Amino acid sequence: MEFKVLGPLAASVPLPSAAQPRRVLAVLLARPNEFVHRDTLVDELWPQGPPSSAAAVVQMTVSKLRKALSPGVPVDDVRQRLRSGRSGYRLTVADGELDVTAFSELTAAAAKATGTERRALLEQALGLWRGRAFADVPVGPLVEAHRLWLEDQRGSVLGKLVELELAAGDHKAVADRLGPELAIRPGDERLAGWLAEALYGLGRRDAALAVLDRCRQALWEHAGLSPGEDLLAIRRRIAGTGWSAVGGAPCRLPAATPDFTGRARELADVGRALRGPVPVVLHGAAGSGKSALAVQAAWRVRKRFPDGQLVADLRDDGDVLTGFLRALGLAEAEIPADRDGRVSLWQSHTADRRLLVILENGRSEAEVRPLLPSGPGCAAIVTTRRRLAGLVGARPVEVGALPDAESRDLLGAIAGEARLSAEPDAVRRVLACCDGLPLAVRAAGMKLLQRPRLSVAEFAARLENERLRLDELAAGDLAVRPVLADALTELSPRQRKSLRSLGFPGVAEFAGWLAAAMLGRSADEAAELLDELVDDHLLHAEPDCMGVLRYRLPALIRLALREPPDPGALRRALTAMAALAEHALAALGAEYPPSRRADVPAAVSDRVAADPIGWRDAEAANLALAVRTAKNHGWTELAMRLADAYSDLVGPAKGGSPAWLGFGIVRDRVDLPAEAGKLLKLGHAHADAGDLARARTCFSLAETRFRSVGDHPGTGAALIALADVDADSGRTGAAVHALREALDLLRDCGDIAGQAMASAQFGSLWDDLGDFRRAKECFDASLLLSLHCEDGRQHDRSAKRYADVLRRNGRMDEAGELLTSALIGTRSSRERHWEAHVLRSLGDLHATTGDAGESERCLSRSLELFEYVGHRHAAAYTHRSFGESLRLAGEHGRAAEHLSLAMSTFRDLGDRRGGGYALLSFGRLRADEGVATEAAEGLRTAAGLFRELGFPVWELRALKDLSAVDQSGRQRDRAREALTKIRFGATSA
């Protein structure tokens, strides 16, 4: 039996024609007489991952191979060549049966021989090779490694034989032997050197030099390398000199930035684009690192362009084409004097070359276009501050702001990682001032490196002073200010004026409508100007969550302008901001959709009306800044408009000092009626947010001021608000007193709407105190009074409150009729806040009557509306109702989730009454689950809270539930006391 692998796989018996058996045989012959594990065969046959049937396929393949190698021999017969065992297979190969063994034996014998005998043995060993090892077998990792080893052994034998032949002066034998070898491996310096020496020995000097030149060209094209010293020595010996220019082409690339950081995506984009002839346009702001990126990318792909790499800065004096043509070897006399001639010569000279050109600081397509090489094997990189959209076929790659992580890495690479790690917060402040501009980050790093005793925190404080920032971002001739100033000088007067108008101090970003107001132009004209500035990378544009484009003027650009903001532009912007804020309020209020305003563009007006909450969230920061800006410029009336709108949209708790600015203005004017009105408004905002303490303070101050100016309707409204807060806080006596006084004042001045409101408030309070008769009388009066009001909003609110009382007293049908009417009314007036309250009451009603599905639908919509208008406090009450509804439906897990959310909010806001309601539902939930201890604890705590707050009805409800889980009787005395309060009245009539 014979096996041959030094060439196509062959044997002295017919082998299967299928690929798999031949591949398995190749593996077994790579390890003859050794057990090869089945897993090794699987890895060899399926390097990318085996199928589920891999083991079975291997077993069937081995079976076919066994039949071919040992036909008719049983599997367990000693004559069987292919044996199984140890989870693998072994192929028995006897001495002299494998050509690799013969090759090794001849090589070993040659090593011991000398002279003619050694040469003959080496020739005999090479004669065993019929081509590349395993030439016709698709190989996996194991066979590939074995093949490489065999090829290495063959190369060693070939080298030894060639050296013997050269020493013997047999140059023809060497030339005949190495010609085919070098055709396969033209970049092999060792083979090329031997062949050149052989040809030179035969008197063929030109052929020898051509071999050396081809090897040098192959090295450059395939690896970007120059010949080594051994090949250079052979060249000098044959030609009398080395090559005139090692590398064979001009390379004018500047050194790559040693601490280049990040830009992995951009480098990948440039690398892919440079595989074709289209120019790559790197566009970005001044100082964004376009040139460093271009050079970095050029060094990475340099070996693809063996005819050279040329660089030109288009801002420099001198003719670029003349410089390029000289670099390519043309003499001065060959370069035409006229530009058209130079362009024509450049295009013809680059038609068949593989050349890379970098054109820096291109200002227009017309400037760049004639400088691009013409050949399909050429490529170009253009850096520019503009997009150059007119450059047909170009591949644009934007060089934007450096991400925070990469900015941090760059700063650390320059200033030292240990220094930055000691002050991480200060580092973040420094990078915030650099705004992602690589030039600024580099200048900051060099400044820190230059001044080792300067702490990072001290440097951050200097940068945060806007008057010093650009001066601090400089180290030697590395400075931000001149680079930005140069970019600004290239702008047209119209663009420069626009930038100055857009320099609203403190504004991080702004929408197109605000830009139009600042520019004093129509929306279309402003959009065109903004697009120009974005194209020149002087503005950034990104869509917000509503899909509306928002613009940002980089802080460093604003500082480089050196011009104060235009007061006229500021006032136009603030006026537009006030108008849109008031429009958003109207969209959230009773008037929906609000009528369009003459001072607001129709498209913007409709967008705000469609999503006033989204507009508020997007503009909250700018609106707060607008309030302060108007106040600082002395525009008092505008400041009041902005402050009032801001307070109403955001709320005083979240709004901070700008929300109180309007109150401060009227207080400074000593305008008591206006001051009282603003205090009342602020109090309601605090109450809606759940901050009852601040709400009561505002209501009390408002009442005092209303009384001092004799404003009875205002005093009555303040007293009603105070009563509401006092009732929620457990001060029921004070609430009753305030409501009685309010009703007297409102009757005297004929304020019907105020009387309806006070009566409804009284009705809810009497129900909490356990006097349903009085509650019903008050609600009946409130509904009658509200019929005489100008609109139906008070009737809907009274109906909602009355329905809650009726439901708790078992009168479901009447409650349902009132809530249906109230829901129609609130939806008609588009009062989202009150619609959500009515839906919560409907959810409670459906839960009580056992309609769990309808209850969930109403409560889900209530939550959605409360969350939309940002009413966290009211949403907590809906969560509590949801929890109670789900408890009644038997969904205990979901009920606990909602009750936990409600309890958390009530705890955060300090709402003890809401907390009592949630605890009552928690206790009932644990009782339903059979957890008596936790149920008793929750119900007992709820009863105690209601007792402290003065709500005997709710206390009694908690005690009633407590008696079902706690049979000790300890709560009976408290229940009797609560009943006494209900029957005889804890508060006198």
Side-chain angles (χ1 to χ4, degrees):
M1 178 76 72
E2 288 185 346
F3 295 102
K4 297 182 179 181
V5 299
L6 301 179
L9 181 64
S12 57
V13 296
L15 296 176
S17 58
Q20 296 290 53
R22 296 175 66 83
R23 294 181 70 183
V24 170
L25 179 59
V27 178
L28 296 173
L29 289 173
R31 291 186 178 178
N33 301 311
E34 296 180 19
F35 269 102
V36 180
H37 198 281
R38 185 187 296 114
D39 291 346
T40 302
L41 290 173
V42 169
D43 292 341
E44 185 74 12
L45 295 177
W46 296 281
Q48 304 302 320
S52 57
S53 59
V57 172
V58 169
Q59 188 174 1
M60 289 188 292
T61 301
V62 169
S63 176
K64 290 180 182 178
L65 193 58
R66 184 182 286 127
K67 292 176 182 177
L69 297 176
S70 302
V73 179
V75 174
D76 54 354
D77 195 294
V78 293
R79 295 173 297 159
Q80 178 58 250
R81 281 185 173 271
L82 185 50
R83 306 292 299 273
S84 302
R86 285 191 257 166
S87 300
Y89 307 94
R90 181 182 68 182
L91 177 64
T92 300
V93 179
D95 291 342
E97 290 186 334
L98 181 61
D99 57 357
V100 172
T101 307
F103 174 75
S104 300
E105 290 173 350
L106 288 169
T107 302
K112 297 176 182 178
T114 58
T116 305
E117 183 185 0
R118 184 181 186 191
R119 180 176 172 180
L121 289 170
L122 292 173
E123 286 181 335
Q124 190 177 352
L126 286 176
L128 294 174
W129 285 77
R130 299 167 292 111
R132 194 179 184 196
F134 300 100
D136 61 343
V137 179
V139 299
L142 187 149
V143 176
E144 176 65 20
H146 187 57
R147 176 162 67 185
L148 291 174
W149 178 80
L150 290 173
E151 297 284 355
D152 185 63
Q153 296 300 306
R154 179 183 180 277
S156 176
V157 170
L158 176 64
K160 292 173 182 176
L161 178 58
V162 167
E163 287 174 347
L164 286 175
E165 290 173 337
L166 286 173
D170 193 352
H171 296 117
K172 186 176 185 308
V174 173
D176 291 342
R177 191 182 306 281
L178 293 186
E181 296 283 345
L182 199 61
I184 298 172
R185 291 174 289 179
D188 191 319
E189 293 184 70
R190 188 179 62 158
L191 295 181
W194 287 333
L195 180 56
E197 287 186 340
L199 291 171
Y200 185 59
L202 292 171
R204 300 170 60 188
R205 179 177 179 275
D206 291 342
L209 292 176
V211 167
L212 295 175
D213 288 341
R214 284 195 298 272
C215 181
R216 181 189 67 155
Q217 187 69 16
L219 283 171
W220 181 256
E221 289 183 356
H222 296 116
L225 298 174
S226 300
E229 285 300 323
D230 291 343
L231 207 63
L232 282 172
I234 295 172
R235 164 79 186 195
R236 291 190 191 99
R237 188 163 58 250
I238 295 173
T241 179
W243 282 286
S244 58
V246 178
C251 178
R252 303 296 173 84
L253 294 177
T257 305
D259 53 10
F260 186 88
T261 302
R263 301 296 192 194
R265 181 186 60 79
E266 292 87 347
L267 281 170
D269 288 346
V270 175
R272 283 191 294 269
L274 289 176
R275 292 173 185 157
V278 298
V280 180
V281 177
L282 297 180
H283 60 93
S288 62
K290 302 180 293 296
S291 294
L293 175 62
V295 172
Q296 192 78 14
W299 276 108
R300 291 190 175 195
V301 300
R302 175 173 172 256
K303 65 183 181 181
R304 300 186 202 164
F305 304 97
D307 292 322
Q309 304 86 41
L310 303 177
V311 180
D313 189 335
L314 302 187
R315 293 177 303 181
D316 292 345
D317 296 333
D319 186 73
V320 172
L321 285 176
T322 299
F324 281 175
L325 292 169
R326 285 173 183 163
L328 292 179
L330 273 73
E332 196 69 35
E334 298 177 279
I335 301 174
D338 63 299
R339 179 171 174 77
D340 289 343
R342 291 193 296 275
V343 171
S344 177
L345 183 60
W346 166 250
Q347 290 175 347
S348 64
H349 213 63
T350 57
D352 297 317
R353 291 179 180 261
R354 296 172 66 186
L355 193 69
L356 175 63
V357 174
I358 297 180
L359 302 172
E360 294 196 61
N361 298 301
R363 286 163 288 199
S364 68
E365 294 90 340
E367 181 185 42
V368 168
R369 200 173 284 117
L371 304 178
L372 298 175
S374 61
C378 297
I381 303 175
V382 183
T383 69
T384 174
R385 293 169 187 166
R386 298 185 170 90
R387 295 181 185 272
L388 301 186
L391 209 57
V392 178
R395 172 72 169 86
V397 176
E398 182 170 2
V399 186
L402 202 61
D404 291 343
E406 294 180 8
S407 295
R408 171 67 176 74
D409 291 343
L410 177 57
L411 190 66
I414 299 170
E417 188 60 39
R419 187 174 180 186
L420 301 191
S421 299
E423 299 181 78
D425 292 335
V427 170
R428 282 190 287 271
R429 291 162 57 199
V430 168
L431 293 177
C433 293
C434 294
D435 204 17
L437 191 71
L439 176 62
V441 177
R442 185 170 292 281
M446 291 303 297
K447 178 61 72 72
L448 288 170
L449 185 64
Q450 185 183 39
R451 299 182 181 176
R453 288 179 295 277
L454 177 67
S455 73
V456 182
E458 289 172 334
F459 184 50
R462 293 184 188 182
L463 291 178
E464 286 167 344
N465 184 337
E466 290 194 343
R467 289 176 295 179
L468 301 177
R469 187 176 303 170
L470 290 179
D471 293 328
E472 290 292 332
L473 290 174
D477 63 354
L478 181 69
V480 173
R481 188 191 296 277
V483 173
L484 298 183
D486 181 58
L488 292 173
T489 57
E490 294 182 5
L491 298 179
S492 66
R494 183 181 74 149
Q495 289 176 318
R496 189 177 181 88
K497 182 180 178 182
S498 299
L499 272 183
R500 181 185 175 224
S501 297
L502 294 172
F504 195 139
V507 169
E509 57 180 30
F510 51 87
W513 62 265
L514 187 63
M518 289 189 281
L519 295 170
R521 295 177 178 270
S522 68
D524 291 341
E525 291 174 328
E528 182 180 349
L529 266 172
L530 293 171
D531 286 344
E532 288 181 16
L533 294 171
V534 170
D535 286 344
D536 287 351
H537 296 280
L538 295 166
L539 275 184
H540 300 316
E542 292 289 342
D544 62 13
C545 58
M546 300 166 63
V548 177
L549 271 183
R550 296 187 71 81
Y551 301 88
R552 181 173 69 86
L553 177 64
L556 294 174
I557 292 289
R558 177 170 55 80
L559 296 177
L561 283 168
R562 293 185 177 181
E563 297 175 7
D566 179 6
L570 277 181
R571 181 145 195 161
R572 288 193 302 269
L574 298 182
T575 303
M577 180 75 75
L580 278 177
E582 291 163 352
H583 193 62
L585 278 173
L588 285 170
E591 183 186 357
Y592 188 88
S595 57
R596 288 176 174 171
R597 300 175 60 114
D599 52 355
V600 176
V604 181
S605 172
D606 293 344
R607 193 180 303 127
V608 172
D611 188 6
I613 296 298
W615 183 88
R616 178 200 68 188
D617 293 344
E619 299 293 349
N622 287 348
L623 190 52
L625 179 64
V627 175
R628 292 190 292 267
T629 303
K631 175 69 165 56
N632 293 339
H633 279 75
W635 301 328
T636 306
E637 296 303 322
L638 187 53
M640 286 186 61
R641 285 179 63 193
L642 288 163
D644 288 348
Y646 178 70
S647 177
D648 290 342
L649 282 171
V650 180
K654 294 181 181 178
S657 58
W660 287 83
L661 192 140
F663 171 72
I665 291 174
V666 296
R667 184 184 57 193
D668 294 342
R669 288 179 174 178
V670 196
D671 186 348
L672 290 181
E675 189 179 338
K678 291 191 181 298
L679 283 166
L680 185 62
K681 199 172 187 180
L682 287 167
H684 282 299
H686 281 304
D688 287 344
D691 192 342
L692 299 185
R694 282 194 174 92
R696 193 178 196 289
T697 299
C698 290
F699 291 146
S700 181
L701 292 171
E703 179 209 354
T704 302
R705 284 157 177 74
F706 278 130
R707 284 187 191 276
S708 67
V709 296
D711 185 342
H712 294 323
T715 305
L719 286 169
I720 293 171
L722 272 171
D724 197 14
V725 172
D726 284 339
D728 281 344
S729 304
R731 292 188 286 268
T732 53
V736 170
H737 177 77
L739 286 172
R740 282 178 172 164
E741 185 179 2
L743 275 171
D744 290 340
L745 286 170
L746 296 169
R747 286 194 195 99
D748 291 343
C749 66
D751 185 346
I752 295 175
Q755 293 176 63
M757 189 186 305
S759 297
Q761 185 75 11
F762 237 146
S764 295
L765 181 57
W766 285 127
D767 179 64
D768 284 337
L769 295 173
D771 195 333
F772 177 68
R773 180 184 61 79
R774 282 183 173 174
K776 184 176 182 305
E777 290 173 356
C778 289
F779 277 118
D780 288 339
S782 177
L783 291 175
L784 286 171
L785 286 166
S786 63
L787 292 175
H788 298 281
C789 296
E790 293 182 2
D791 59 48
R793 284 180 290 172
Q794 183 56 51
H795 184 277
D796 296 333
R797 295 172 188 181
S798 297
K800 185 268 177 198
R801 288 173 174 263
Y802 193 9
D804 288 340
V805 172
L806 291 170
R807 173 182 54 80
R808 285 194 290 265
N809 286 275
R811 299 168 69 164
M812 305 300 174
D813 292 341
E814 296 174 68
E817 291 177 7
L818 285 174
L819 288 175
T820 301
S821 171
L823 184 62
I824 293 171
T826 54
R827 284 180 172 169
S828 175
S829 63
R830 292 301 182 102
E831 288 188 293
R832 294 178 175 88
H833 175 261
W834 273 99
E835 180 185 350
H837 279 293
V838 173
L839 284 167
R840 183 175 65 212
S841 295
L842 273 170
D844 290 336
L845 178 64
H846 288 303
T848 305
T849 57
D851 191 344
E854 192 63 21
S855 173
E856 180 161 353
R857 188 187 68 80
C858 291
L859 293 172
S860 295
R861 179 58 179 161
S862 173
L863 265 181
E864 182 182 332
L865 287 171
F866 279 136
E867 289 169 357
Y868 175 74
V869 298
H871 203 321
R872 182 187 175 211
H873 188 216
Y877 277 92
T878 300
H879 276 300
R880 182 263 171 186
S881 293
F882 224 145
E884 182 67 16
S885 174
L886 292 168
R887 179 191 72 82
L888 293 172
E891 296 190 45
H892 296 165
R894 292 178 63 203
E897 290 177 8
H898 282 282
L899 292 174
S900 295
L901 284 170
M903 197 69 211
S904 174
T905 304
F906 292 139
R907 190 183 300 112
D908 290 347
L909 298 176
D911 184 351
R912 301 175 70 211
R913 181 175 188 172
Y917 292 153
L919 277 171
L920 178 59
S921 291
F922 258 127
R924 291 170 174 171
L925 177 64
R926 292 294 179 253
D928 292 346
E929 294 172 334
V931 187
T933 304
E934 290 186 25
E937 182 181 351
L939 292 169
R940 191 175 293 110
T941 306
L945 269 174
F946 291 132
R947 181 184 181 86
E948 293 173 15
L949 291 170
F951 297 142
V953 174
W954 288 100
E955 181 188 1
L956 188 61
R957 286 171 180 154
L959 291 173
K960 179 182 177 183
D961 290 327
L962 179 60
S963 65
V965 294
D966 183 0
Q967 306 296 327
S968 63
R970 288 178 293 178
Q971 65 273 11
R972 290 175 185 169
D973 291 340
R974 291 178 59 184
R976 291 192 193 97
E977 186 178 345
L979 274 171
T980 302
K981 290 178 182 178
I982 293 170
R983 288 172 179 167
F984 299 104
T987 306
S988 61

